Amino acid sequence: MKKLIRLAALIMVMAFSTVCFAGQAETIEEGADLTGIKKLTICLPYYTKMLEGEPTTDELLKGLAEAGKKTKGYEVISYNDLAREIKADTAIDIRRLPIPESKKVYKEHVGKYADAYLFVTIANNSRVNLFGSVYDAKTHELLYDFRVEGGKSTEHKTLRSYQTLAEKFYEAFGLAIAKQIKKARNGDDEEE
């Protein structure tokens, strides 16, 4: 019996060794309409590399975009793709500007290319946390917040772990959009 319990415990540890999700929370702002979001772009994350082996900000941006390739119902536009579009239209390279100026130019132009933008915060102190906040690209109002917790060890502070957390965000956001669309359709059916 003890061997069976040990085997089950070992299997559980191995199954959750990549990223251990301790919890997640979602908030849709009152009155927020997610149904019109077809293009979501990523903005510069709030992230600081703390340890050797953790990704750089550029690697994190690429990882967030890569995780966004699995989305359903909306398209994720990478930060670098949006920066290229802004540069083509305005001759301003936001990747070369100081961060405060870059953010200002980004906010001025993001509404031309996307319906909403994603601001990611990675807190990697005792436990890895990914906070994703979605803002309307034209009004800059907060629409949606999501938090997912990862593991505590340094093994959970890798690019792959952050990508897995981002995939959880994108999946939850897609479901929130789908629920609002379904609710809107059911509401239309009731009115007829």
Side-chain angles (χ1 to χ4, degrees):
M1 185 68 170
K2 286 183 181 181
K3 288 183 181 182
L4 185 59
I5 292 172
R6 286 183 189 160
L7 180 61
L10 179 62
I11 290 171
M12 293 297 288
V13 167
M14 288 173 53
F16 292 107
S17 64
T18 304
V19 175
C20 179
F21 299 106
Q24 60 188 43
E26 170 184 68
T27 305
I28 299 173
E29 294 299 309
E30 189 173 327
D33 182 12
L34 307 178
T35 61
I37 298 175
K38 302 297 180 222
K39 291 184 178 184
L40 175 73
T41 187
I42 302 165
C43 66
L44 277 176
Y46 184 70
Y47 166 75
T48 303
K49 179 179 175 172
M50 304 287 282
L51 303 170
E52 196 64 36
E54 290 181 19
T56 64
T57 301
D58 287 338
E59 291 169 336
L60 180 63
L61 280 168
K62 288 176 186 170
L64 293 172
E66 185 68 29
K69 289 182 179 179
K70 297 179 181 181
T71 60
K72 294 178 183 168
Y74 66 100
E75 175 188 0
V76 175
I77 302 169
S78 75
Y79 178 79
N80 288 328
D81 287 346
L82 189 82
R84 278 191 285 278
E85 292 290 329
I86 291 172
K87 185 176 181 183
D89 290 347
T90 66
I92 299 171
D93 188 354
I94 62 173
R95 293 173 290 189
R96 304 241 184 257
L97 293 175
I99 290 174
E101 281 182 57
S102 172
K103 287 181 178 182
K104 182 180 177 191
V105 173
Y106 181 95
K107 282 181 91 171
E108 287 174 8
H109 297 281
V110 68
K112 296 175 190 172
Y113 311 101
D115 303 307
Y117 59 93
L118 168 63
F119 179 72
V120 172
T121 301
I122 302 281
N124 56 5
N125 295 330
S126 63
R127 180 179 291 279
V128 175
N129 283 278
L130 180 139
F131 298 89
S133 300
V134 175
Y135 293 87
D136 184 286
K138 293 187 178 25
T139 65
H140 307 292
E141 292 179 11
L142 179 65
L143 302 172
Y144 178 85
D145 259 333
F146 184 80
R147 177 189 58 83
V148 62
E149 282 185 359
K152 288 184 176 183
S153 73
T154 56
E155 296 170 3
H156 301 289
K157 297 179 181 184
T158 64
L159 180 58
R160 181 66 204 130
S161 294
Y162 296 157
Q163 280 180 295
T164 303
L165 294 172
E167 288 169 6
K168 289 287 184 188
F169 165 81
Y170 291 130
E171 181 182 320
F173 185 60
L175 288 172
I177 293 171
K179 284 179 189 174
Q180 277 199 350
I181 289 171
K182 184 177 180 181
K183 187 176 178 181
R185 285 183 185 153
N186 288 341
D188 289 345
D189 291 344
E190 290 173 10
E191 290 176 12
E192 293 174 3

